[in-house]
Amino acid sequence: STTIAEFVLPRILGEFKVAHPQVHTHLTVGNSEMIEHRVADHALDLGLIESPSHLPGLTTEVCCEDELVLICAPAHKFARSGKVRPQLLAGEPYVNRELGSGTREYTDQYLRGCAVAPEDLNVVMELGNTEAIKRMLESDSGVAVISRSAVEREIKAKSLAMARIKGLPMPRL
């Protein structure tokens, strides 16, 4: 799926290609739901997704861990405050991943567990990939929950910040 394809697989595929230059690989990128369906339809041999499979007949195995974090611009009030209560997310401009995204599925579960209905968020935009979300948030246009591995460079460069919020970072397999 998208985050895995953008932030995890490129290095692994590069190392594989160096070790096995004769092997030709093809990478299909889409959200978790799309990849899951393509594997079920036998259009793909293998899929790496960011959420549990919901289709019967597919076998899944955990292959790595990730964490979801709340991000915002460094000037945002959440970046400057102590630990933020999850309920405060409902009042902030929120940038969401699209339906079918593993990140969105995990985030919606997290919010429901904090007694925040995902429908109550002030969603200002839904975007189909993490890079677009990061670029949008650099303009201090809201907050979002994304993979820590996807935002490490921006945090180090101080173009984005992680906000401290109860329950996040949240591990996901």
Side-chain angles (χ1 to χ4, degrees):
S1 53
T2 308
T3 301
I4 294 169
E6 290 176 347
F7 301 100
V8 177
L9 281 181
R11 177 177 288 159
I12 294 169
L13 290 175
E15 291 170 0
F16 180 84
K17 189 64 174 172
V18 168
H20 306 282
Q22 73 284 4
V23 177
H24 297 282
T25 58
H26 177 79
L27 177 64
T28 300
V29 180
N31 67 32
S32 294
E33 182 179 49
M34 187 271 275
I35 296 299
E36 185 179 26
H37 283 282
R38 298 279 312 269
V39 171
D41 294 341
H42 303 286
L44 297 174
D45 296 321
L46 172 71
L48 298 171
I49 58 175
E50 302 156 15
S51 60
S53 175
H54 301 290
L55 295 179
L58 291 185
T59 301
T60 59
E61 294 180 23
V62 174
C63 65
C64 60
E65 287 187 39
D66 187 18
E67 288 183 321
L68 294 178
V69 296
L70 181 69
I71 62 163
C72 55
H76 192 279
K77 65 183 177 185
F78 283 1
R80 297 185 316 265
S81 64
K83 197 171 265 189
V84 176
R85 291 181 303 117
Q87 292 73 19
L88 294 176
L89 287 176
E92 290 300 308
Y94 188 83
V95 182
N96 212 355
R97 282 292 304 270
E98 80 287 0
L99 283 173
S101 156
T103 298
R104 176 148 174 191
E105 181 178 342
Y106 268 95
T107 301
D108 287 355
Q109 287 174 347
Y110 159 76
L111 291 169
R112 286 186 192 99
C114 296
V116 177
E119 305 78 40
D120 291 342
L121 292 175
N122 177 20
V123 177
V124 295
M125 191 162 300
E126 280 188 12
L127 296 171
N129 69 63
T130 303
E131 282 299 317
I133 291 173
K134 292 188 305 183
R135 299 296 78 84
M136 185 172 177
L137 293 185
E138 286 176 336
S139 69
D140 201 11
S141 54
V143 299
V145 174
I146 66 171
S147 165
R148 180 191 292 263
S149 64
V151 75
E152 288 174 340
R153 287 185 182 183
E154 289 81 4
I155 290 170
K156 191 176 279 188
K158 299 187 186 314
S159 64
L160 288 172
M162 274 193 319
R164 294 172 28 98
I165 187 166
K166 182 183 176 188
L168 293 178
M170 176 181 61
R172 70 174 172 175
L173 304 174

